[in-house]
Amino acid sequence: MPRIALATYDPGAEPSKDSDLPVLVRALREAGAEAESRPWDDPDTDWGGYDLVVIRSTWDYSWRAEEFEAWVERVGAVSRLANPSAVVRWNSDKRYLGELAVAGVPTVPTRYIAPGEPADLPLDHEYVIKPTSGAGARFAARYAPAERETAVRQLARMHAEGFTAMVQPYVRGIDVSGERALQFFGGGLLHASRKGAVLSPGTPYDADKVAHPDLEPWQPTDAELAVAEKALTVVPGGAPELLYARVDLVDGEDGQPRVMELELVEPNLFLFLHPGSLPRVTEAILAAAQD
């Protein structure tokens, strides 16, 4: 009987946002595994006692990047970690988008402004600022050129907290065709979803945002699949190293799909939207625990 831990976060007094977690734990137990969810920062958990530790919803990790990276290294040294620690390290910093672009993967054009660097911001088009380490649209905002002073204040706040900023053009295709999330699990496409635009004009960067507005099932096109699969070949170790992956795509000015983000750490599986995917996810996790 394999012992499997699903790593999550501690929501404190608030209810957990991961509605899929209890469903997945129950499915694994019904399939014969000894499975449980554990907060990743629980000091009393013996991670070495599990055959497999699956990072599922450690959704506070970007606030505690150094602590989380140390945890990933510890767990990877005593148990099988999915995804592997080298992949998690690489994907935790969104400067990986530059590597994807160099490898020929269509991506949203991205520049980086590190602490101490000047606020070189666009003067002729809308743009988005967000941190290279973040989730749930935290510290993300959309600006028009005339809003430079507000954007500079955001950069100053981010830099004061040690964040490097990403600057991307606002991709207007999101307003038309949304953002598509292609979910891979166990080496193949699991399902896909589409959501609406997250960033509205004038929404403060530090405001709470709905991370997945108007979420709905989606049937990916051949072009979307091709871009997603090409992006996964750039991952350290290649796609075979991955138990799970989510590739977020938007349409560029040319109408063709581009990678917005590549989620390899703790992507939401959206099983509540795709309940038919639960058996495949369960089977893939069990297979990984028994390798």
Side-chain angles (χ1 to χ4, degrees):
M1 177 184 297
R3 296 197 70 223
I4 300 170
L6 304 180
T8 185
Y9 73 113
D10 182 358
E14 300 294 326
S16 173
K17 296 178 181 178
D18 187 359
S19 60
D20 291 334
L21 192 61
V23 175
L24 187 51
V25 169
R26 183 167 60 252
L28 287 167
R29 289 175 177 172
E30 291 174 351
E34 186 179 337
E36 59 184 345
S37 61
R38 302 293 300 175
W40 69 271
D41 57 352
D42 179 8
D44 298 323
T45 299
D46 176 16
W47 299 103
Y50 296 100
D51 300 296
L52 176 68
V53 178
V54 183
I55 303 175
R56 276 308 331 121
S57 47
T58 56
W59 290 338
D60 59 348
Y61 89 90
S62 64
W63 282 259
R64 306 156 65 185
E66 291 185 5
E67 185 181 354
F68 182 74
E69 183 175 339
W71 174 82
V72 165
E73 294 301 324
R74 288 197 307 272
V75 175
V78 299
S79 180
R80 181 172 184 186
L81 182 67
N83 282 321
S85 56
V87 170
V88 173
R89 283 197 307 274
W90 179 80
N91 191 237
S92 294
D93 188 324
K94 292 185 177 64
R95 278 174 281 203
Y96 65 75
L97 286 169
E99 295 184 39
L100 296 182
V102 168
V105 178
T107 60
V108 175
T110 305
R111 293 188 296 105
Y112 304 95
I113 304 177
E117 294 182 344
D120 181 15
L121 297 172
L123 301 175
D124 59 354
H125 61 263
E126 278 191 297
Y127 55 94
V128 170
I129 296 177
K130 56 186 176 182
T132 56
S133 177
R138 176 181 179 243
F139 275 2
R142 170 181 172 183
Y143 293 104
E147 297 173 296
R148 174 183 168 82
E149 289 187 8
T150 305
V152 169
R153 287 196 294 271
Q154 175 181 345
L155 287 175
R157 167 78 180 278
M158 291 170 61
H159 288 168
E161 296 196 22
F163 289 107
T164 292
M166 305 166 57
V167 181
Q168 298 175 318
Y170 182 74
V171 182
R172 295 189 176 276
I174 296 177
D175 297 328
V176 178
S177 53
E179 180 178 331
R180 282 86 72 202
L182 276 61
Q183 194 87 51
F184 295 80
F185 216 99
L189 180 70
L190 180 68
H191 54 237
S193 311
R194 180 172 70 172
K195 68 179 182 181
V198 174
L199 300 178
S200 300
T203 301
Y205 69 91
D206 53 356
D208 289 335
K209 306 174 185 74
V210 178
H212 306 292
D214 303 318
L215 192 67
E216 63 180 359
W218 177 253
Q219 181 62 45
T221 66
D222 290 343
E224 290 168 353
L225 278 170
V227 170
E229 290 170 351
K230 186 171 185 178
L232 294 178
T233 66
V234 184
V235 176
E241 287 291 308
L242 304 175
L243 175 62
Y244 53 85
R246 196 181 81 210
V247 187
D248 294 341
L249 303 172
V250 294
D251 288 338
E253 294 295 326
D254 58 1
Q256 296 303 305
R258 293 175 174 267
V259 175
M260 173 74 80
E261 290 190 10
L262 182 59
E263 300 282 0
L264 309 177
V265 181
E266 32 65 273
N268 195 323
L269 296 179
F270 306 135
L271 290 177
F272 62 87
L273 190 66
H274 303 274
S277 294
L278 181 60
R280 281 187 57 193
V281 172
T282 303
E283 180 181 351
I285 292 175
L286 288 173
Q290 294 166 350
D291 276 353

